[in-house]
Amino acid sequence: MWSPAAERLDADIAVVGAGPAGIAAAVVAAEHGRRVLVLDEGLRPGGQIWRHGGGEGAPRAPLPARRWLARLERSGARVLDGTTVVDGEPGWSLLAEREGRPLRVRAEALILATGARERFLPFPGWTLPGVLGVGGAQALLKSGLPVAGRRVVVAGSGPLLLPVAAALAGAGASLRVVAEQAPAHRVYGFAARLWRSPVRLALAARYRYGFLRTAYRPGCWVLRAEGDDAVGAAILTDGRRTWREACDLLCVGYGLVPATELPRLLGCDLTGGAVVVDENQRTAVEGVWCAGEPVGVAGVEAAVAEGQIAGLSAARAAVPAGLRRSRAEARSLAAVMDRAFLLRAELRRLPDAGTIVCRCEDVSLGEIEAGWGTRHAKLATRAGMGACQGRVCGAALQFLFGWEADRVRPPILPASVATLMEAGTEAAPPAGRNT
Ligand SMILES: Cc1cc2nc3c(=O)[nH]c(=O)nc-3n(C[C@H](O)[C@H](O)[C@H](O)COP(=O)(O)OP(=O)(O)OC[C@H]3O[C@@H](n4cnc5c(N)ncnc54)[C@H](O)[C@@H]3O)c2cc1C
């Protein structure tokens, strides 16, 4: 079979991910004279929070983002948008796909800044049209989803509920309730901790002001979604009382989980689902750094500080103490946030035997046995073997059953046959370990 020869590019440092962490890493490394290549599957640099449109009328990136994006342009780092990294070999050689064609990147150092994704937990009715993730709703709003006059319930957990609720209300949605599963004492305890972080406190207050007419209810969660062809109502509970909230859209998300497929594929160590790094963001694998959400979900300030530390360290430049302080502050707040928004045990009991848990392969909870583990579930039912390769159901099954994540195999994201044929065509020396 004919395979288009892979394009080949060399760099001193390859950065995977052009969110805040990847951009910050690329900028400082390029400013120190290193040849930097940034690969991102998105259409333009920015990642999740600095996502912005390209054309006229499209949303502008926020101010700090615009500063970093301008610096990125000036830095001399080369950015390859629309480029999906699907495999990597020690050496370092990355295999990516760009415009349907394979691309090989060789670099002395890799910085992995692959971000996080939303956590979905299954409940009866969650596959009905009109039920979507909180982050998904945010992305659709940014791309112009009309919600004016539509009845919307926002539910789940974590700070992300606030900007999305504010954005929905601002776009004219009839917001019914914002249900936060964490109990009130933990949520307000977290809010009190924000006094030490006035910028975040102001932001939280601004978001709350954005949907002031709608109740924000801690200690409240969705039991099920009801509807025939599409969602028509959410059944909510606060543990004592259960009620029905009519809605046309139900946005539910349970926080974020680090995207660690590439670090795991390359052999990085993980703990608690996050990549282990040293004080310079170096992973256990020689020549590989990691920054931002894969190291643990901690928000944009941590991502920017860690990106700079990783970029400077990979460029063999000194790391200013101020950056380490910013990282420590952001990480300490993130630890408080994790405790505040810990998921309640009741959420494990939401799905019944008929509830689909793996949407790609149509596997329901009743087909899975708790004692199995991720790999066994894959082999027995194909759960996690569909198009998303377990990126949605994997985190859910880990939460429901306490299972470990399964081993990662290439390609880590869907790839064309041409790209797959390119995989394994280059032999490489074995990986070393950072000591
Ligand atoms: C759905 C969602 C909504 C969010 N909304 C908010 C919000 O409203 N407010 C807020 O403060 N924070 C929000 N966050 C959190 C915020 O996005 C992060 O704190 C911040 O963006 C972290 O930056 P990062 O660089 O670590 O990751 P990201 O910004 O997520 O960037 C990671 C980048 O890596 C790329 N990537 C990943 N894997 C590959 C691959 N294999 N090949 C090529 N490219 C790859 C992705 O395309 C992405 O551009 C949200 C997060 C998510 C997931």
Side-chain angles (χ1 to χ4, degrees):
M1 199 191 300
W2 179 80
S3 144
E7 190 186 346
R8 277 156 213 274
L9 293 171
D10 283 320
D12 296 330
I13 299 172
V15 180
V16 184
I23 291 174
V27 165
V28 298
E31 286 174 352
H32 279 79
R34 314 293 288 177
R35 285 180 311 144
V36 178
L37 199 55
V38 187
L39 311 150
D40 194 291
E41 58 178 335
L43 293 179
R44 52 193 67 85
Q48 281 295 344
I49 190 174
W50 290 351
R51 192 196 296 261
H52 58 287
E56 214 175 297
R60 287 185 83 195
L63 185 63
R66 293 208 294 275
R67 290 202 188 111
W68 275 105
L69 289 165
R71 214 170 136 188
L72 177 66
E73 237 179 275
R74 288 194 305 270
S75 71
R78 182 172 174 199
V79 181
L80 297 183
D81 300 323
T83 305
T84 307
V85 176
V86 297
D87 196 1
E89 290 169 14
W92 283 107
S93 165
L94 291 174
L95 176 62
E97 180 163 302
R98 189 162 192 244
E99 291 165 1
R101 292 192 51 203
L103 164 71
R104 278 262 178 214
V105 172
R106 276 200 168 277
E108 284 167 25
L110 295 184
I111 299 177
L112 309 179
T114 47
R117 66 176 65 93
E118 198 169 7
R119 182 189 348 240
F120 301 101
L121 297 180
F123 54 87
W126 77 297
T127 53
L128 280 169
V131 181
L132 65 166
V134 173
Q138 187 185 47
L140 287 171
L141 272 176
K142 284 186 186 178
S143 58
L145 174 79
V147 292
R150 299 182 81 184
R151 299 165 302 172
V152 184
V153 169
V154 173
S157 197
L160 183 55
L161 302 191
L162 301 186
V164 178
L168 283 161
S174 165
L175 196 60
R176 294 307 160 113
V177 65
V178 179
E180 163 60 61
Q181 61 84 38
H185 69 275
R186 283 207 260 115
V187 175
Y188 296 125
F190 174 68
R193 168 68 165 75
L194 287 183
W195 284 113
R196 283 192 233 159
S197 178
V199 175
R200 288 195 188 86
L201 185 63
L203 200 61
R206 201 183 86 206
Y207 289 144
R208 184 65 188 97
Y209 185 72
F211 65 99
L212 209 50
R213 286 202 232 141
T214 305
Y216 173 75
R217 299 196 55 150
C220 174
W221 63 99
V222 174
L223 288 177
R224 62 183 182 276
E226 290 182 351
D228 297 325
D229 302 329
V231 66
I235 309 302
L236 294 147
T237 185
D238 59 10
R240 295 179 302 275
R241 196 169 69 88
T242 296
W243 71 99
R244 189 175 191 275
E245 202 71 62
C247 61
D248 310 305
L249 278 182
L250 170 58
C251 311
V252 193
Y254 290 95
L256 306 176
V257 281
T260 57
E261 287 77 11
L262 190 56
R264 277 155 59 207
L265 184 72
L266 299 182
C268 301
D269 288 344
L270 269 81
T271 180
V275 177
V276 176
V277 289
D278 70 7
E279 73 284 359
N280 286 328
Q281 302 296 135
R282 292 193 318 167
T283 70
V285 180
E286 198 179 322
V288 181
W289 282 254
C290 190
E293 310 287 55
V295 175
V297 172
V300 66
E301 288 87 357
V304 170
E306 290 174 358
Q308 291 178 83
I309 295 171
L312 290 168
S313 171
R316 299 196 184 90
V319 175
L323 281 180
R324 297 194 200 280
R325 270 199 303 277
S326 306
R327 174 182 58 189
E329 275 164 28
R331 286 273 161 211
S332 126
L333 185 64
V336 178
M337 187 178 79
D338 281 352
R339 288 195 293 275
F341 295 101
L342 201 69
L343 297 182
R344 59 175 62 238
E346 287 94 328
L347 301 176
R348 292 198 173 87
R349 300 192 284 274
L350 294 182
D352 56 36
T355 306
I356 298 287
V357 287
C358 170
R359 297 177 79 140
C360 301
E361 293 291 330
D362 240 2
V363 180
S364 56
L365 187 71
E367 294 172 65
I368 293 177
E369 287 179 25
W372 278 355
T374 313
R375 168 143 296 234
H376 191 144
K378 270 186 181 177
L379 295 174
T381 67
R382 291 192 55 81
M385 292 181 79
C388 91
Q389 285 291 293
R391 279 187 295 279
V392 174
C393 62
L397 291 173
Q398 283 161 36
F399 173 73
L400 292 176
F401 297 122
W403 293 348
E404 295 287 319
D406 195 16
R407 202 156 52 88
V408 188
R409 285 162 177 237
I412 56 166
L413 287 164
S416 68
V417 172
T419 302
L420 296 180
M421 285 171 68
E422 174 64 25
T425 55
E426 287 192 348
R433 305 273 296 177
N434 276 331
T435 47

